[in-house]
Amino acid sequence: MLITNGKIITWEEPNTILEGYSIAVQNGFITEVAPETELLSRYPQAERLDAGGQFILPGNICAHTHFYGAFARGMAIPAPAPKDFPEILQKLWWPLDKSLNYENVRASAMVMLVQAIKHGTTTLIDHHASPNAIEGSLDVIADAVDHSGLRAVLSYEVTDRYGEAKAQAGIAENVRFIRRTNTEKVAGGRVAATFGLHASLTLSERTLNTCKDAAPEGIGFHIHVAEHEVDEYDSIAKSGWRVVERLHRHGMLGTRSIVVHAVHVDAREIYLLAESGTWVTHQPRSNMNNGVGLGDVESMLNAGVGVCLGTDGFSHTMWDEWKTAYLAHKLWNRDPQRMSATNVAQMAIYNNAWLAGSFFPNAPLGVIRPGAHADIIFVDYHPYTPLTMENLPWHIIFGFHESMVTTTIVAGKVLMRDRQLTVLDEKEIAGEALLQAPAVWERYRAQF
Ligand SMILES: [Zn+2]
């Protein structure tokens, strides 16, 4: 296939914008990026996908999300409203995750995947919880991802909050699914795995040891860290150490591990994250919604930590997350010089591509260049001021909207063309979730 007639933003380092160029795609990969006249004359018979003058970019990547959270939309939390983040966990997320059966897990993932395709998010790193449907839950999600055509990294969040047996089942589910991805190409190689842990505050010393012993060689961990200060207090009480130090002493940091949020970490913890090469993901919309504060992301970036950008289950609209990061740090610090657009692009483009790419190492991800995975979107944006490589991040923050995404391609397969989904049926998928929602909400309410 030849992708023609567009302005190509490659997101290479340094970034380039190519006009008059085409992209040749074969077997899921970009094989050539060359002048259009040259490719058209060399491949006159090739199928053509005309971008109609739109911008052509690598698909967006979400570094942390929860496919299981879809049924929370519109759900009433019994009064009084949660007063802080620990109460949000106890009154919203934990009773909700207990309400999910396998059917609900699939339906929740499917509606999230539809939204991701429509909004141009092509790779997602998921963190799953369904304590009454643990064994095989990652297969159910992998099957949904396979069906959608998207790319994802899956994990099950191990926790002690539902007792020993369910903690063990969570560990077994991670290990089983990691082994499965090691022995077969799940979803044609578009699904990878990592080892999920809920958060330090719901994990005992013993369970952390068991997880570390059970994790297959070379596998990292995906865990919420210091989202609220109670996580730090709990860690000090349990182990004598702050959370990142605790994970370090359990051998759980490293270049394959993902620390989510890191809102309340101290300087020593930032040092440990940088020194170990551990990834941090930042989700400012979630932080604002939960009222937990904002991590000192700029200090982390300056200290050499690879900070990435995720959604934490909010809609998979990565440019909304760009805008929130750009705005929230200015307000939080009362300083308009904080969080430059280049820092946001560093997180959302380069760091997300490095992190997600490490799970799909057979080709570069998140970049348009020969040899890279063919994960590509078209954006119908008409700049009325010059758009250059230098000012592109500001055009994205102030000009781009996910509604401008018209075409989404993953591994060379067109999943949406001219805003029409080609693989998934949104009405049917939303209809199925709508049929299931009353029973999920009923099981949720019955716990109060
Ligand atoms: Zn999360």
Side-chain angles (χ1 to χ4, degrees), residues 36-347:
E36 188 151 312
T37 47
E38 187 191 318
L39 286 181
L40 286 175
S41 69
R42 274 172 39 214
Y43 305 109
Q45 305 299 327
E47 177 199 348
R48 288 183 205 176
L49 186 58
D50 187 331
Q54 296 178 84
F55 285 93
I56 300 173
L57 285 76
N60 284 322
I61 293 168
C62 171
H64 173 77
T65 188
H66 302 282
F67 293 155
Y68 78 81
F71 288 107
R73 184 172 295 175
M75 194 176 76
I77 303 175
K83 71 176 190 312
D84 56 19
F85 180 63
E87 281 198 10
I88 292 172
L89 289 176
Q90 282 153 19
K91 293 193 76 169
L92 172 57
W93 295 111
W94 296 351
L96 176 62
D97 67 34
K98 277 160 84 179
S99 305
L100 301 175
N101 60 31
Y102 290 100
E103 256 195 318
N104 309 143
V105 168
R106 182 180 172 85
S108 190
M110 289 306 295
V111 295
M112 292 286 203
L113 293 163
V114 166
Q115 296 303 318
I117 295 172
K118 289 178 77 177
H119 297 141
T121 301
T122 52
T123 298
L124 305 107
I125 301 181
D126 188 56
H127 195 262
H128 177 64
S130 53
N132 289 316
I134 299 174
E135 193 191 346
S137 58
L138 297 181
D139 290 338
V140 170
I141 300 170
D143 189 60
V145 174
D146 188 15
H147 192 54
S148 75
L150 288 163
R151 197 181 294 281
V153 182
L154 308 182
S155 61
Y156 187 88
E157 57 130 78
V158 176
T159 179
D160 288 323
R161 67 180 183 267
Y162 305 121
E164 169 82 20
K166 288 190 194 290
Q168 291 301 324
I171 293 169
E173 179 63 5
N174 279 300
V175 172
R176 184 194 65 74
F177 190 72
I178 289 164
R179 294 221 167 102
R180 187 182 162 208
T181 60
N182 286 341
T183 51
E184 65 173 289
K185 280 192 167 189
V186 179
R190 286 181 289 100
V191 167
T194 185
F195 199 115
L197 303 171
H198 169 244
S200 173
L201 82 163
T202 68
L203 289 161
S204 67
E205 286 292 284
R206 190 161 146 237
T207 303
L208 284 181
N209 286 330
T210 312
C211 290
K212 177 62 185 167
D213 292 343
E217 188 66 25
I219 284 291
F221 296 88
H222 181 182
I223 178 171
H224 296 103
V225 167
E227 183 169 3
H228 184 277
E229 50 266 52
V230 294
D231 201 21
E232 296 285 10
Y233 304 151
D234 171 272
S235 177
I236 292 165
K238 273 182 192 154
S239 69
W241 302 102
R242 290 175 70 87
V243 179
V244 176
E245 184 91 44
R246 185 180 183 216
L247 296 175
H248 170 58
R249 285 168 183 265
H250 281 278
M252 289 175 152
L253 301 181
T255 56
R256 305 280 289 168
S257 287
I258 304 168
V259 151
V260 181
H261 297 302
V263 174
H264 296 278
V265 295
D266 71 4
R268 163 71 181 163
E269 292 177 288
I270 292 175
Y271 167 78
L272 283 172
L273 293 167
E275 190 191 46
S276 61
T278 305
W279 298 96
V280 168
T281 71
H282 181 45
Q283 291 74 219
R285 283 185 294 179
S286 163
N287 294 161
M288 290 167 69
N289 187 43
N290 291 326
V292 293
L294 284 174
D296 193 354
V297 169
E298 290 169 302
S299 293
M300 287 190 239
L301 287 167
N302 289 336
V305 179
V307 185
C308 301
L309 204 63
T311 61
D312 213 11
F314 268 72
S315 55
H316 294 111
T317 49
M318 288 309 296
W319 297 323
D320 280 345
E321 207 73 44
W322 283 55
K323 288 166 218 234
T324 308
Y326 184 79
L327 300 172
H329 288 264
K330 290 173 175 57
L331 178 64
W332 183 247
N333 295 290
R334 297 197 61 226
D335 178 355
Q337 293 187 332
R338 298 298 292 266
M339 191 53 77
S340 70
T342 46
N343 266 350
V344 179
Q346 181 66 42
M347 292 191 283

